[in-house]
Amino acid sequence: MAPQKDEKNHLPVLGVGPVYVIIIVILTTTCIVLSQMGVLPYLRIRATIAVFHTAGTIFFVAGIWLWVSAAIKERLQDNIIENKLITTGVYSVVRNPIYSAFSFVLTGVLLIYGNLYLFPLSLLYWALLTIMMRATEEKWLLEQFGDEYRDYCKRVNRCIPWFPKAE
């Protein structure tokens, strides 16, 4: 019988990701449906439809690219199991690229849908991600990697690439 790895030797592979993703998907879907039903107000400026569709498509595609780069190209699961802090590739641009990817995709959906009243949801995604990361994964990573993680946080933003850090 092969020895089993102690599951406590590494951080959770999924972290709080599924909870975050489920919350923002449900929120986005609910708001779009309620907007379609007339329960929430709908405001679209006809002259901006093409711009919003283009921007939405860019956000959507960027989100998918970010997810693929973070999860597959960087072998995220393997690195977590091996207790390696990933700071290369897309992780050198943003500390939480998988969560950012879902935020980008759903922001793209909102832009394509085009209801100006729903655009603040993107700010809510960022706020929720910030709160969830500070309360969970950032504490785990700091405990696991100490100064290495602290230095990484000083160099790389949490969820929006190249956005000024408020930490």
Side-chain angles (χ1 to χ4, degrees):
M1 180 184 264
Q4 291 186 337
K5 277 194 167 186
D6 179 8
E7 291 299 315
K8 295 185 181 189
N9 284 341
H10 62 80
L11 298 172
V13 172
L14 294 177
V16 296
V19 173
Y20 173 71
V21 170
I22 288 168
I23 289 171
I24 67 173
V25 166
I26 288 172
L27 185 60
T28 303
T29 304
T30 301
C31 288
I32 288 174
V33 168
L34 291 175
S35 180
Q36 281 294 112
M37 294 171 54
V39 175
L40 292 177
Y42 188 95
L43 175 63
R44 176 184 275 177
I45 301 170
R46 190 176 307 267
T48 62
I49 292 173
V51 172
F52 287 139
H53 281 201
T54 301
T57 301
I58 291 168
F59 268 80
F60 192 88
V61 170
I64 291 170
W65 173 84
L66 194 56
W67 186 90
V68 168
S69 295
I72 297 170
K73 185 177 177 192
E74 296 295 332
R75 297 178 29 250
L76 178 63
Q77 184 171 345
D78 294 342
N79 281 300
I80 290 172
I81 291 170
E82 294 171 14
N83 277 323
K84 292 182 181 175
L85 179 63
I86 309 169
T87 60
T88 58
V90 292
Y91 289 88
S92 68
V93 179
V94 64
R95 292 193 317 253
N96 298 287
I98 291 179
Y99 304 139
S100 295
F102 282 99
S103 296
F104 277 46
V105 165
L106 291 172
T107 296
V109 168
L110 290 173
L111 287 165
I112 291 167
Y113 182 63
N115 182 351
L116 296 175
Y117 288 124
L118 299 185
F119 289 170
L121 286 176
S122 294
L123 295 174
L124 183 62
Y125 301 158
W126 171 80
L128 180 62
L129 180 58
T130 298
I131 291 166
M132 291 178 80
M133 291 301 98
R134 282 186 175 172
T136 59
E137 289 188 18
E138 288 181 2
K139 287 181 181 179
W140 302 337
L141 289 164
L142 191 55
E143 185 177 304
Q144 184 81 16
F145 297 105
D147 286 340
E148 181 184 7
Y149 183 69
R150 202 174 279 113
D151 292 342
Y152 175 56
C153 291
K154 289 177 185 174
R155 292 190 317 271
V156 179
N157 199 359
R158 179 181 292 112
C159 53
I160 303 173
W162 307 290
F163 195 76
K165 292 187 281 300
E167 303 176 75

